[in-house]
Amino acid sequence: MHRRLFLFALAPMGLASCSLASKVNPFVDKSKEPVVSETQKKRGYVNLFPKDNFDHWVIMGDPAGWSIQDGLVRSEGGKGGNWIRSKKEYKDFILKLDYRVSAGGNSGVFIRALAEGEPWVTGHECQISNEQPPRDSLHCTGTLYGNVPVKIRPDESPDVWHTYEIRCVKNRITVLVDGKKTVDVDQEAIDAIKDKPLSGFVGLQDSHTAEGYWVEFRNVIIREL
């Protein structure tokens, strides 16, 4: 008798726990959600891959190095994909995207880059890396590669999705990886970047590696400010 009462008393608690778990479950598949939410649309965000093609982009290397399916942009190492750049130039903006990289992988996100020359030289590269041994704080994920080190080293785990949020407003560049601020800098205060342009193309680097490595991107959205 007492056992039955005890089980009945626990039943509502169990249901409540299940309900709560379903709301916070980090493994819920969000792949079917809109790339740009209604709230983001009202704020001015647009999807840079509205269809499974590169119509809004220029492939700066071998097209065989790039593919896209169901909104997932993928680059395989060793195929000479180099980088892809937006057809449009951007000045002040917020760029958001998800990325994941293979173990030992290397890639990056370019901002304010020019069409001619190396994009990490003419503009800035926000690094993506799982290289081993891990790169130093000037060349790891979240840096302005080779010019501005990370303030906080982000998680560089391979084979899982991470987020980038990159804000460019006049001279200030702010970089967040998985919500953690890795760079917040006035480029005029850094000799190495003070003369870089304040507008240019955004871009994605290929899997800048040998064969067997890869990088993927999804949910690439931008808001002009």
Side-chain angles (χ1 to χ4, degrees):
M1 184 68 174
H2 293 296
R3 180 185 172 106
R4 290 196 188 100
L5 288 173
F6 179 70
L7 289 174
F8 282 129
L10 281 179
M13 294 175 61
L15 289 172
S17 298
C18 291
S19 176
L20 179 61
S22 66
K23 292 180 180 178
V24 299
N25 184 358
F27 302 106
V28 171
D29 181 11
K30 295 184 178 182
S31 62
K32 302 303 180 184
E33 293 183 0
V35 171
V36 183
S37 69
E38 288 302 317
T39 300
Q40 288 173 327
K41 283 181 181 179
K42 290 178 181 178
R43 292 176 178 171
Y45 282 96
V46 296
N47 180 6
L48 290 181
F49 288 96
K51 296 182 180 180
D52 278 357
N53 58 46
F54 294 95
D55 285 355
H56 294 274
W57 298 80
V58 178
I59 298 177
M60 304 298 287
D62 190 336
W66 294 95
S67 64
I68 182 170
Q69 184 175 359
D70 296 331
L72 186 70
V73 180
R74 182 179 175 94
S75 172
E76 300 280 351
K79 294 190 175 182
N82 198 5
W83 69 296
I84 58 175
R85 67 166 176 85
S86 58
K87 287 185 175 179
K88 181 177 179 178
E89 293 189 57
Y90 296 91
K91 185 177 181 181
D92 294 344
F93 59 87
I94 301 174
L95 175 68
K96 295 183 178 184
L97 57 87
D98 303 334
Y99 71 89
R100 64 179 172 187
V101 65
S102 64
N106 174 289
S107 184
V109 179
F110 300 119
I111 52 173
R112 291 177 169 174
L114 303 183
E116 303 298 327
E118 302 292 0
W120 54 87
V121 176
T122 64
H124 307 273
E125 177 183 356
C126 300
Q127 171 75 323
I128 294 172
S129 173
N130 183 259
E131 295 159 287
Q132 302 301 321
R135 304 295 300 274
D136 60 38
S137 62
L138 195 60
H139 300 88
C140 67
T141 300
T143 59
L144 294 184
Y145 184 81
N147 292 315
V148 181
V150 293
K151 299 171 64 175
I152 299 175
R153 190 170 187 123
D155 179 20
E156 294 183 286
S157 299
D159 304 320
V160 296
W161 287 108
H162 300 278
T163 63
Y164 245 130
E165 179 176 325
I166 303 163
R167 304 173 187 169
C168 293
V169 181
K170 297 182 180 178
N171 294 310
R172 183 159 294 278
I173 300 174
T174 307
V175 180
L176 296 92
V177 179
D178 295 335
K180 295 182 178 180
K181 190 180 293 184
T182 59
V183 166
D184 188 3
V185 66
D186 181 341
Q187 75 174 56
E188 283 193 340
I190 308 293
D191 286 342
I193 62 174
K194 67 180 182 180
D195 294 325
K196 293 201 175 192
L198 298 182
S199 66
F201 301 102
V202 298
L204 304 177
Q205 191 178 43
D206 70 341
S207 182
H208 223 55
T209 56
E211 292 183 16
Y213 302 91
W214 52 266
V215 65
E216 293 178 334
F217 302 93
R218 69 179 185 187
N219 299 337
V220 185
I221 65 175
I222 196 166
R223 172 191 175 193
E224 293 186 78
L225 301 175

